[in-house]
């Protein structure tokens, strides 16, 4: 499928179709994967004088309903930002890309442009993997709002669910090893997984814990072993804190999760700050979230879920028309 470059004056241009790409996904996590055609939107027609005005493009690689929802919402949020800051700005880069999904991020990372990039709906391990292939100077022009929940928010949810500070373990593969210092600082028992290591052996290392904190690492969690993880932890009365609502529906105890509008609100805040002041923050976890609890699993684990755990959330600010 081809793609379109659309401006607010109705200008359209055809671009080439993109090849389907994506990480090894855990379950059917739509928020972590998008694939194949590119939509781009600008706030104005392309002018030959780069010092006059500022543009943004939203790059996607499919035309699914969820992607259209993402693009429509983020476009409505970004157009006013660029309408305000259109002349002399605090930075020299005049093109900003918002990529939706890993394939779009890979595509933009391969382009040669003096631009900044905000990655969305892509897991931290994939973002870090892609940025790790870039020269350090270029990588600093990229930031991201990761697809998965912030581990700190997950741990806060755990404390609410258990009404105490429970014993928590996390299994980290090579791509999530960067989280080890933060997790150990929160007194999480970290088990380091080698590539292709047997999941049952890893589960045997987590010991007498109350909760397994799952993180989106394809070396640890995939569709083949997730059932084994659930069965093993269930037998030991251990709750699993997932990293998507799908995982909770499949048998995990609970998770925080972010809606499309939650992610997009954070992206709009990042973009507005950059356009106004020229500062691009480091990649970050979602700031706004809600909570889902599997009540049946909670009863089986003898976890009496308090209302403050069910209602644990940080809603995005209301968007004004």
């Amino acid at each position: 499928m081809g793609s379109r470059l659309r401006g607010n004056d109705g200008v359209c241009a055809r671009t080439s179709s993109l090849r389907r790409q994506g990480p090894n996904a855990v379950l059917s996590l739509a928020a972590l994967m998008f694939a194949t055609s590119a939509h781009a939107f600008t706030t104005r027609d392309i002018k030959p004088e780069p010092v006059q005005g500022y543009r943004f493009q939203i790059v996607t690689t499919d035309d699914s309903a969820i992607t259209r929802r993402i693009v429509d919402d983020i476009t409505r949020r970004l157009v006013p930002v660029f309408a305000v800051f259109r002349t002399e700005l605090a930075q020299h880069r005049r093109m900003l890309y918002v990529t939706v999904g890993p394939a779009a991020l890979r595509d933009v990372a391969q382009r040669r442009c003096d631009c900044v990039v905000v990655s969305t709906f892509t897991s931290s391990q994939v973002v870090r993997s892609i940025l790790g292939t870039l020269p350090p100077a270029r990588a600093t022009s990229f930031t991201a709002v990761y697809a998965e929940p912030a581990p700190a928010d997950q741990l806060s949810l755990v404390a609410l669910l258990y009404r105490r500070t429970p014993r928590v373990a996390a299994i980290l593969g090579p791509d999530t090893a960067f989280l080890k210092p933060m997790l150990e600082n929160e007194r999480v028992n970290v088990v380091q997984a080698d590539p292709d290591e047997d999941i049952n052996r890893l589960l045997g290392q987590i010991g007498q814990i109350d909760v397994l904190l799952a993180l989106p690492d394809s070396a640890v969690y995939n569709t083949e072993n997730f059932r084994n993880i659930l069965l093993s932890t269930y037998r030991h009365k251990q709750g699993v804190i997932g990293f998507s609502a799908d995982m909770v529906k499949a048998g995990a105890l609970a998770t925080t999760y972010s809606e499309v509008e939650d992610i997009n609100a954070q992206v709009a805040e990042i973009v507005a700050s950059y356009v106004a002041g020229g500062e691009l923050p480091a990649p970050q976890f979602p700031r706004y979230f809600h909570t889902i609890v599997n009540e049946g699993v909670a009863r089986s684990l003898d976890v009496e879920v308090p209302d403050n755990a069910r209602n644990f959330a940080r809603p995005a600010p209301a968007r004004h028309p």
Side-chain angles (χ1 to χ4, degrees), residues 184-228:
E184 289 184 334
N185 188 56
E186 295 292 335
R187 299 186 178 180
V188 174
N189 178 22
V190 174
V191 174
Q192 200 74 45
D194 294 325
D196 302 321
E197 190 166 2
D198 181 69
I199 188 62
N200 293 315
R201 182 175 177 276
L202 292 171
L203 291 171
Q205 296 182 47
I206 63 177
Q208 300 299 313
I209 56 102
D210 301 300
V211 176
L212 174 63
L213 176 64
L215 300 163
D217 192 320
S218 57
V220 181
Y221 299 94
N222 54 58
T223 53
E224 286 74 30
N225 65 24
F226 185 60
R227 178 176 172 81
N228 289 338

Side-chain angles (χ1 to χ4, degrees), residues 153-154 156-163 241 253-257 289-295 298 303-314:
D153 292 330
Q154 299 283 62
S156 295
L157 173 60
V158 168
L160 293 174
L161 284 167
Y162 285 81
R163 309 185 191 209
I241 299 298
L253 172 60
T255 188
T256 61
Y257 69 96
F289 62 86
H290 310 272
T291 291
I292 180 173
V293 178
N294 189 318
E295 301 284 350
V303 175
E304 185 177 345
V305 182
D307 287 340
N308 62 349
R310 288 191 186 92
N311 301 324
F312 182 50
R314 191 182 300 126

Side-chain angles (χ1 to χ4, degrees), residues 2-321:
S3 61
R4 290 183 181 272
L5 176 67
R6 296 193 293 171
N8 62 352
D9 54 1
V11 175
C12 297
R14 299 291 292 180
T15 63
S16 61
S17 62
L18 300 175
R19 179 171 58 87
R20 179 175 295 274
Q21 303 180 62
N24 293 325
V26 180
L27 306 176
S28 56
L29 307 183
L32 298 183
M33 296 184 297
F34 290 83
T36 86
S37 78
H39 291 266
F41 296 77
T42 68
T43 60
R44 55 183 301 215
D45 196 2
I46 299 174
K47 300 294 184 183
E49 303 84 14
V51 295
Q52 298 297 323
Y54 198 75
R55 297 180 294 126
F56 75 94
Q57 293 183 13
I58 301 173
V59 183
T60 76
T61 52
D62 77 292
D63 196 31
S64 64
I66 185 65
T67 299
R68 290 195 299 270
R69 174 183 165 193
I70 292 168
V71 170
D72 290 346
D73 182 74
I74 194 62
T75 300
R76 285 193 293 268
R77 294 175 188 273
L78 294 188
V79 165
V81 173
F82 287 88
V84 173
F85 303 102
R86 292 187 61 168
T87 55
E88 294 303 321
L89 305 177
Q91 67 286 331
H92 68 277
R93 293 189 176 100
R94 302 293 175 153
M95 172 59 76
L96 184 143
Y97 289 106
V98 177
T99 63
V100 181
L105 176 59
R106 288 189 180 96
D107 173 71
V108 172
Q110 293 169 2
R111 301 181 186 183
R112 294 187 177 183
C113 66
D114 189 18
C115 57
V116 295
V117 181
V118 182
S119 167
T120 66
F121 300 96
T122 301
S123 68
S124 59
Q125 65 160 318
V126 175
V127 171
R128 290 174 60 86
S129 174
I130 294 172
L131 298 192
T133 66
L134 301 177
R138 175 118 196 275
T140 60
S141 65
F142 285 69
T143 191
V145 178
Y146 298 138
E148 75 269 24
D153 292 330
Q154 299 283 62
L155 292 172
S156 295
L157 173 60
V158 168
L160 293 174
L161 284 167
Y162 285 81
R163 309 185 191 209
R164 56 184 171 83
T165 303
R167 295 163 298 178
V168 183
I171 301 174
L172 304 183
D175 292 331
T176 48
F178 74 98
L179 294 171
K180 183 178 180 180
M182 184 274 290
L183 292 174
E184 289 184 334
N185 188 56
E186 295 292 335
R187 299 186 178 180
V188 174
N189 178 22
V190 174
V191 174
Q192 200 74 45
D194 294 325
D196 302 321
E197 190 166 2
D198 181 69
I199 188 62
N200 293 315
R201 182 175 177 276
L202 292 171
L203 291 171
Q205 296 182 47
I206 63 177
Q208 300 299 313
I209 56 102
D210 301 300
V211 176
L212 174 63
L213 176 64
L215 300 163
D217 192 320
S218 57
V220 181
Y221 299 94
N222 54 58
T223 53
E224 286 74 30
N225 65 24
F226 185 60
R227 178 176 172 81
N228 289 338
I229 292 170
L230 287 178
L231 290 174
S232 176
T233 53
Y234 186 81
R235 284 196 299 267
H236 292 90
K237 287 283 188 177
Q238 296 166 333
V240 175
I241 299 298
F243 51 83
S244 77
D246 284 343
M247 293 181 77
V248 176
K249 295 172 185 176
L253 172 60
T255 188
T256 61
Y257 69 96
S258 298
E259 297 280 8
V260 164
E261 292 76 13
D262 296 322
I263 298 290
N264 287 352
Q266 187 171 347
V267 171
E269 291 171 356
I270 290 171
V271 172
S273 177
Y274 173 75
V275 171
E279 295 295 326
L280 195 66
Q284 54 197 243
F285 289 97
R287 181 178 304 137
Y288 307 116
F289 62 86
H290 310 272
T291 291
I292 180 173
V293 178
N294 189 318
E295 301 284 350
V297 170
R299 286 191 295 271
S300 298
L301 296 174
D302 298 323
V303 175
E304 185 177 345
V305 182
D307 287 340
N308 62 349
R310 288 191 186 92
N311 301 324
F312 182 50
R314 191 182 300 126
R319 183 171 61 88
H320 298 291

